[in-house]
Amino acid sequence: MAAISFSGVKKRYQKNDVIHGVDVEIEAGEFVVILGPSGCGKSTLLRMIAGLEEISEGTIAIDGKVVNELEPRERGCAMVFQNYALYPHMSVRQNIGYALKVAGMPKAEREAKVLKVAKSVSLEPYLDRKPGELSGGQRQRVAMARAMVREPKVFLFDEPFSNLDAKLRVAMRAEVRNLHRSLGVTSVFVTHDQTEAMTLADRLIVMNSGFVEQVGKPSEVYHHPASLFVADFIGSPAMNLVRGFFGEDGYFRHGKGGMVNLPGLAKAHLSREVSIGIRPELVRRVDAGHKDAIAAVVDYTEELGASRLVYARADGSPIIAVDSGTDALGTGMPVHFALSESDIHVFDHSNGRRVDHNGRPVRATDTVSA
Amino acid sequence: MIERSPVFNIFTYAAMTLGLLVVLVPFWIVIVAGSQSLQEVSRVPIVLWPSSHLWENIQAAWARADLGPKMINSLIVASGVTFGKIVLASISAFAIVFFDFRARMVCFWMIFITLMLPLEVRIVPTYAIAANALLPFQVVLDTLGITGLVQTLSSVRIGLEWNLLNSYTGLILPLVATATGTFLYRQFFMTIPDELIEASKMDGASPVRFFFDVLLPLSRTNMLALATIMFVSSWNQYLWPLLITTDRTNYGTVVMQLKALIPTQNGTPDWNVTMAGALIIMLPPLLIVALMQRWFVRGLITRDK
Amino acid sequence: MERRAFYRNPVLPWLLIGPQLLLVLVFFYWPTSQALYWAFTLEQPWGGGNSWVWLDNFIAIFRDREYWATVARSAFYAICTTGLSMAVALFLACFVDRSLKGTKLFQSVYVWPYAIAAPAAGVAFRFIFAPQSGIIGSINQIWPGIWDPSTNGVHALAMVIICHAWLGIGYNFIFFLAALQMIPRSITEAGAMDGARPVRRMFDLQLPLIAPTVFFLLIMNLISSFTDSFGLIDTMTEGGPVGSTEVMVYKIYFDGFKGLDYSGAAAQSIVLMFLVIALTFVQFKWVEKRVHYN
């Protein structure tokens, strides 16, 4: 178990910064998932922990010890690679035991360890096979066993499930979660799959084009996105985001003459261009006669079984709502919604950050008591 | 396969058989003539069927061209070139592909430009260097004034000399000094995924360890291919050995002896002995190519393309 | 060749690449620069070093009619061997590509000439084409004097060309077959569905698709014909009769080592080097173009 701390970590390729200064603390024993679209620098960050990429600026410390200058083997990290990176000419047994062999562990001891680890991931029957003779899921297990056998201080996972089919992915997810529960080793897991991220993580680090957008528990990140990017990236269907501005009269103006009465929010955000956001499941459908009803026209609906998604348009601005009604809703039909001010997030358009209801910008690492 | 018509199939077989004849007739004639007696081989037209004198013709050729020691020389040279090439090629390709150092691209080009000019084209000056392989260093020392300096200081004149004429080193080294194998290894090393290096780094393996534990075992096919290509081409060398060995008795190779087996203008036209000699001289590389075909074909294509 | 994972070490790469660099310097760069030096200088009789003569050596060989005859002969030789060898190999590869039963056997035999030393083939062909021998000799018995490479230069040249072409069959075959087998079956099948017959498909589909290989082999064969012919010519004709099979490499050898005219031989070497470099360069440009279009 080890804590990892980043301070001012930057990565530069030929004068171009691809990571712009990361300051994050990962606690010992924590399972942290780095989430972001491809090219956001999440893998690079992981590989900097591993020692596979140089750190251009700043420091990474493992257990309080700066590791910038250490070789990968000296950092006590083990890694599971995206395409497994198994040695094709070695048997499963040799693959798992290679790191121990390099470290000079006596054969008998090594064999015992390999066997024990192989058992724990049910690889025993395949120990003498070559990677080429294994299925995708089995290869994945070998890659994990190879990481486990060294009893590392830190586990690093670089999109390890992206080559598996959907069903296997769910199974492996559970296995990784169990592994972490039983070993309690600090783990950093990189993925672009938000479901994977939400289910695995103790804490999430959401990244976008080299910046850390938000650090927090999955629920925090979902319910209190710190930036426009996070709001838009996390959740399916995505958060409703409507661009506009607040007037002195307490109305939010958007689209083609759309007006929403939000007197509680208006005061704090008068002077800037903003987007307001609300989760589709928090958009309530109301009768036409409701006090602050927003009139909209249905574009189409998507049946989900227990509920349905209503895609509609209010004064030119698209809005999605989760609706549990069973009445017929066809294209072009009128529909009415209402919003609670407490469910609404306001984002400053000049920098993409969320602004709290007192008008203060929210930082990436701020924790919100949910 | 389309056009499974029997007529077209027969035509295909006929064409392939014709090709077989074109390729095999020279071999067949060598075997036929090599197994006949002097009378039989001199008959016009010749009987195109082997006779019973192959063994005695081989013995005669063996004695006439002194093939025993020459075979050993050829074997030493071919194995030496093959071994040297594999070692040098693999380690230099390893450096070029897996190490990041300043002069990497310069080294790469310096080595690969040598692919452009075969030995035959620069035969005259290469021959001159063989007389003293250390000449370039002597020239460098002279130009830098080090020779003069040392002479005045210690009255010892630096005279670097390493004569390669009539030596195995001379036969082998210039043939090793080309980029063929390096290129083959480079092409192969480039296909090794980055993750494999990273995995081995994470496993704590040093570069040297990675080379021996991962790269070499993975490149076995590659090595067999290169070994075949190099063995065949160095066994078959003719011009270079001819130049570098003035002492043929001790350093001649079998291929050089072929000319000595040809009947002279006014001598006995004992082509049967010539053919028997040619047969045993061409046999070792032929066997290797026939046996290693599967591997070397792939290697040849990656090397040259 | 962009890699992401590298090793960094100040010493190790130099230790690894050092031996090869050293060999290349001594046996490639030094001799090549030496050839340049000789080509522009003339050795003084009775020692006394070399005097700088600028282009005199080149002017001398370019003024020499015999040299131009050699160049022309070499070009003719190269074109004939290349054309002949490639045609035979392509013909065979096309049929082998049909992969009928038993094809593997034919395929493995076609590769054999690759293994044969040029001088060994030279000796064998010399016997086959000997005017008095039991093979061609029978024809000479019917029409006396119709074939005699030992006195007739055209016959001699034809004999050497046939032998060189034969030697190249294996190499060319390997490349043609590999290229043909790279063509997806579906393309041939689509052609067949469109009603094209085998020969038609060969010209309309297969040949254009293997064009890069054809071009590659063309250059490789030309280079090999210019450079690898020594062993053959030395065992078959020694450049004779009366120089009718003397090609550039042989003349370099002869002038340099028999005539001891190092400067002349060096100038000739430079010319040959330029020729080979030019061919390689054409090849390079072509490859580059292909990469762009892909």
Side-chain angles (χ1 to χ4, degrees):
Chain A
M1 268 205 248
I4 306 169
S5 62
F6 302 83
S7 55
V9 172
K10 288 191 181 180
K11 179 70 191 179
R12 198 170 294 126
Y13 289 117
Q14 281 125 24
K15 294 189 180 162
N16 293 320
D17 282 7
V18 291
I19 289 181
H20 305 268
V22 171
D23 294 279
V24 177
E25 301 287 329
I26 295 174
E27 284 161 35
E30 213 178 3
F31 198 114
V32 168
V33 175
I34 308 178
L35 174 67
S38 58
C40 71
K42 54 187 192 301
S43 284
T44 313
L45 195 60
L46 187 81
R47 295 156 51 77
M48 289 200 286
I49 306 175
L52 297 172
E53 296 275 358
E54 272 174 62
I55 299 161
S56 310
E57 218 181 293
T59 57
I60 294 179
I62 298 178
D63 264 348
K65 187 178 168 210
V66 175
V67 295
N68 286 33
E69 300 302 322
L70 293 187
E71 287 292 313
R73 63 168 175 277
E74 297 159 343
R75 300 191 182 194
C77 302
M79 184 151 164
V80 179
F81 290 86
Q82 181 170 11
N83 56 10
Y84 319 137
L86 303 178
Y87 307 117
H89 58 296
M90 295 184 193
S91 66
V92 169
R93 187 191 304 277
Q94 290 167 316
N95 260 291
I96 299 177
Y98 185 66
L100 305 180
K101 187 176 162 195
V102 170
M105 184 182 284
K107 191 162 182 207
E109 196 181 334
R110 201 163 77 211
E111 291 285 302
K113 279 209 159 171
V114 170
L115 199 65
K116 193 174 142 217
V117 170
K119 248 184 207 160
S120 72
V121 291
S122 359
L123 273 174
E124 250 182 313
Y126 311 106
L127 276 176
D128 291 310
R129 296 217 193 153
K130 295 265 173 73
E133 302 159 340
L134 299 177
S135 71
Q138 288 162 344
R139 278 182 223 180
Q140 177 64 58
R141 284 200 173 79
V142 178
M144 299 224 313
R146 184 168 72 175
M148 285 159 65
V149 80
R150 295 173 44 200
E151 297 167 4
K153 291 192 286 183
V154 177
F155 270 128
L156 305 172
F157 298 88
D158 189 5
E159 308 212 23
F161 305 152
S162 55
N163 292 336
L164 301 178
D165 62 44
K167 209 175 158 189
L168 211 51
R169 210 179 294 184
V170 174
M172 290 309 296
R173 217 186 277 161
E175 232 167 279
V176 166
R177 197 64 240 202
N178 285 334
L179 183 80
H180 181 253
R181 205 164 294 147
S182 59
L183 300 178
V185 175
T186 315
S187 305
V188 184
F189 189 108
V190 161
T191 183
H192 63 265
D193 178 338
Q194 47 166 306
T195 324
E196 205 165 274
M198 297 297 243
T199 48
L200 280 172
D202 292 334
R203 272 204 304 160
L204 277 176
I205 298 175
V206 185
M207 288 189 71
N208 181 36
S209 47
F211 290 98
V212 170
E213 294 278 344
Q214 186 168 10
V215 181
K217 296 201 177 86
S219 62
E220 276 171 11
V221 172
Y222 185 81
H223 294 297
H224 302 280
S227 69
L228 259 180
F229 172 81
V230 179
D232 192 42
F233 186 71
I234 307 268
S236 172
M239 181 181 279
N240 291 298
L241 289 167
V242 179
R243 194 165 172 170
F245 55 89
F246 286 97
E248 304 260 8
D249 53 2
Y251 277 91
F252 176 73
R253 288 174 171 76
H254 69 97
K256 295 173 186 136
M259 285 171 65
V260 187
N261 188 19
L262 298 168
L265 296 179
K267 221 170 33 243
H269 307 291
L270 280 176
S271 53
R272 49 184 154 240
E273 193 174 354
V274 297
S275 278
I276 60 168
I278 182 163
R279 290 276 169 209
E281 63 270 25
L282 299 175
V283 176
R284 282 170 295 134
R285 217 182 129 195
V286 293
D287 296 329
H290 189 274
K291 185 165 65 78
D292 283 318
I294 302 164
V297 180
V298 175
D299 276 342
Y300 57 95
T301 59
E302 267 176 16
E303 199 58 53
L304 297 176
S307 59
R308 61 185 168 179
L309 297 179
V310 181
Y311 292 81
R313 205 165 279 275
D315 299 309
S317 301
I319 183 163
I320 308 170
V322 178
D323 174 37
S324 52
T326 50
D327 56 326
L329 267 186
T331 305
M333 288 171 69
V335 67
H336 295 84
F337 300 116
L339 318 173
S340 306
E341 288 191 330
S342 59
D343 295 335
I344 292 176
H345 308 291
V346 183
F347 301 93
D348 184 341
H349 246 282
S350 63
N351 54 16
R353 306 304 308 177
R354 184 158 66 82
V355 187
D356 70 13
H357 293 349
N358 301 319
R360 275 197 301 271
V362 176
R363 279 170 306 165
T365 46
D366 284 352
T367 48
V368 188
S369 40
Chain B
M1 186 73 221
I2 340 157
E3 269 105 29
R4 278 240 173 269
S5 80
V7 181
F8 192 55
N9 283 356
I10 290 170
F11 184 69
T12 303
Y13 281 118
M16 288 198 300
T17 311
L18 184 70
L20 209 60
L21 285 179
V22 168
V23 172
L24 283 184
V25 155
F27 289 107
W28 183 245
I29 288 175
V30 169
I31 293 170
V32 165
S35 67
Q36 292 179 337
S37 64
L38 183 57
Q39 286 80 14
E40 286 169 320
V41 85
S42 314
R43 199 177 301 153
V44 179
I46 195 171
V47 179
L48 282 175
W49 198 252
S51 179
S52 56
H53 305 274
L54 183 62
W55 184 238
E56 61 195 74
N57 288 339
I58 287 178
Q59 281 175 315
W62 195 273
R64 187 183 302 171
D66 189 28
L67 288 184
K70 305 293 189 287
M71 277 279 176
I72 292 170
N73 287 345
S74 277
L75 202 64
I76 290 173
V77 171
S79 322
V81 172
T82 308
F83 178 78
K85 188 68 126 192
I86 287 173
V87 171
L88 277 190
S90 57
I91 62 174
S92 55
F94 178 51
I96 287 171
V97 177
F98 293 106
F99 282 86
D100 189 17
F101 58 108
R102 205 176 274 274
R104 194 165 69 97
M105 286 320 275
V106 177
C107 293
F108 169 79
W109 283 112
M110 271 191 66
I111 291 176
F112 289 101
I113 271 183
T114 64
L115 281 175
M116 275 215 214
L117 296 179
L119 181 60
E120 284 78 4
V121 180
R122 51 198 159 83
I123 196 80
V124 181
T126 308
Y127 173 71
I129 192 81
N132 180 7
L134 296 179
L135 185 64
F137 304 102
Q138 176 80 53
V139 170
V140 168
L141 290 182
D142 289 354
T143 3
L144 291 179
I146 295 175
T147 322
L149 192 68
V150 172
Q151 194 168 12
T152 34
L153 288 180
S154 63
S155 76
V156 174
R157 184 168 172 80
I158 300 179
L160 298 175
E161 199 176 334
W162 186 21
N163 189 333
L164 295 179
L165 296 178
N166 297 318
S167 72
Y168 291 127
T169 337
L171 282 161
I172 292 171
L173 277 190
L175 299 180
V176 177
T178 57
T180 22
T182 318
F183 193 66
L184 186 64
Y185 267 104
R186 172 181 172 265
Q187 295 299 85
F188 174 73
F189 285 168
M190 305 265 287
T191 66
I192 302 272
D194 282 324
E195 283 83 0
L196 218 53
I197 306 156
E198 293 174 344
S200 98
K201 280 189 184 176
M202 296 297 292
D203 279 342
S206 65
V208 176
R209 189 99 205 212
F210 174 67
F211 180 72
F212 282 107
D213 285 355
V214 179
L215 282 185
L216 279 195
L218 283 179
S219 54
R220 214 171 40 209
T221 317
N222 202 50
M223 195 172 77
L224 286 176
L226 182 61
T228 311
I229 295 168
M230 287 325 296
F231 187 90
V232 169
S233 85
S234 50
W235 181 279
N236 291 346
Q237 282 296 323
Y238 180 70
L239 179 52
W240 181 247
L242 203 64
L243 289 175
I244 193 118
T245 50
T246 43
D247 173 13
R248 275 220 202 181
T249 335
N250 290 316
Y251 291 100
T253 62
V254 278
V255 174
M256 291 162 64
Q257 295 302 90
L258 277 161
K259 213 174 166 186
L261 284 166
I262 301 174
T264 48
Q265 198 76 51
N266 304 315
T268 335
D270 49 357
W271 281 99
N272 51 340
V273 176
T274 316
M275 291 298 123
L279 182 65
I280 43 178
I281 291 168
M282 60 169 74
L283 212 52
L286 184 59
L287 281 179
I288 285 186
V289 160
L291 290 176
M292 306 280 276
Q293 191 149 353
R294 206 155 60 90
W295 290 284
F296 106 91
V297 165
R298 216 181 307 153
L300 199 64
I301 291 169
T302 29
R303 180 195 72 176
D304 285 2
K305 270 210 148 160
Chain C
M1 53 172 298
E2 268 329 298
R3 260 189 184 279
R4 163 186 89 197
F6 280 116
Y7 290 111
R8 261 171 255 270
N9 189 311
V11 188
L12 194 56
W14 292 106
L15 288 181
L16 292 168
I17 208 169
Q20 170 109 52
L21 277 184
L22 214 60
L23 277 184
V24 164
L25 279 176
V26 171
F27 291 106
F28 185 88
Y29 286 99
W30 178 265
T32 311
S33 49
Q34 202 59 4
L36 274 171
Y37 175 66
W38 284 346
F40 289 100
T41 58
L42 199 62
E43 206 175 354
Q44 300 297 308
W46 325 116
N50 291 28
S51 61
W52 194 257
V53 295
W54 297 107
L55 291 172
D56 282 4
N57 293 322
F58 290 97
I59 293 169
I61 59 169
F62 288 146
R63 282 222 179 109
D64 183 0
R65 217 181 246 181
E66 224 175 280
Y67 182 71
W68 284 111
T70 311
V71 173
R73 197 177 299 119
S74 301
F76 178 76
Y77 179 90
I79 291 165
C80 289
T81 50
T82 301
L84 193 57
S85 189
M86 282 177 68
V88 173
L90 180 59
F91 176 83
L92 296 179
C94 282
F95 286 105
V96 166
D97 186 43
R98 293 199 70 216
S99 346
L100 297 182
K101 229 178 171 170
T103 305
K104 281 264 181 300
L105 188 80
F106 291 93
Q107 189 182 327
S108 53
V109 172
Y110 294 159
V111 176
W112 286 5
Y114 175 79
I116 303 307
V123 169
F125 276 79
R126 185 168 168 170
F127 169 65
I128 294 169
F129 285 114
Q132 319 82 6
S133 81
I135 300 146
I136 296 290
S138 349
I139 301 171
N140 271 336
Q141 269 187 340
I142 307 170
W143 298 286
I146 195 166
W147 175 264
D148 190 359
S150 62
T151 56
N152 185 320
V154 177
H155 295 176
L157 194 58
M159 173 172 83
V160 184
I161 286 172
I162 289 173
C163 186
H164 198 130
W166 181 83
L167 278 167
I169 290 176
Y171 183 86
N172 290 327
F173 173 78
I174 290 172
F175 279 87
F176 275 133
L177 186 62
L180 286 172
Q181 288 179 340
M182 289 277 276
I183 300 176
R185 279 272 154 231
S186 56
I187 289 190
T188 331
E189 286 164 358
M193 298 296 288
D194 286 341
R197 293 181 162 280
V199 177
R200 184 70 199 262
R201 284 205 305 271
M202 151 111 217
F203 283 101
D204 289 353
L205 303 173
Q206 287 167 319
L207 269 187
L209 285 173
I210 64 167
T213 303
V214 175
F215 188 77
F216 162 81
L217 284 177
L218 196 69
I219 301 289
M220 292 308 276
N221 277 270
L222 285 176
I223 291 179
S224 137
S225 317
F226 276 116
T227 59
D228 287 350
S229 46
F230 180 83
L232 268 189
I233 291 173
D234 195 46
T235 45
M236 293 180 92
T237 62
E238 294 191 311
V242 269
S244 60
T245 53
E246 190 178 67
V247 293
M248 289 164 87
V249 175
Y250 201 81
K251 190 169 163 60
I252 290 173
Y253 167 81
F254 202 81
D255 291 357
F257 296 107
K258 303 285 172 197
L260 297 178
D261 170 17
Y262 277 6
S263 300
Q268 291 181 40
S269 296
I270 299 290
V271 174
L272 187 54
M273 278 181 201
F274 267 110
L275 197 68
V276 173
I277 289 174
L279 284 171
T280 320
F281 189 72
V282 171
Q283 163 101 1
F284 235 71
K285 276 277 143 198
W286 171 275
V287 171
E288 214 169 275
K289 215 160 94 189
R290 257 183 67 216
V291 171
H292 281 305
Y293 286 120
N294 281 348

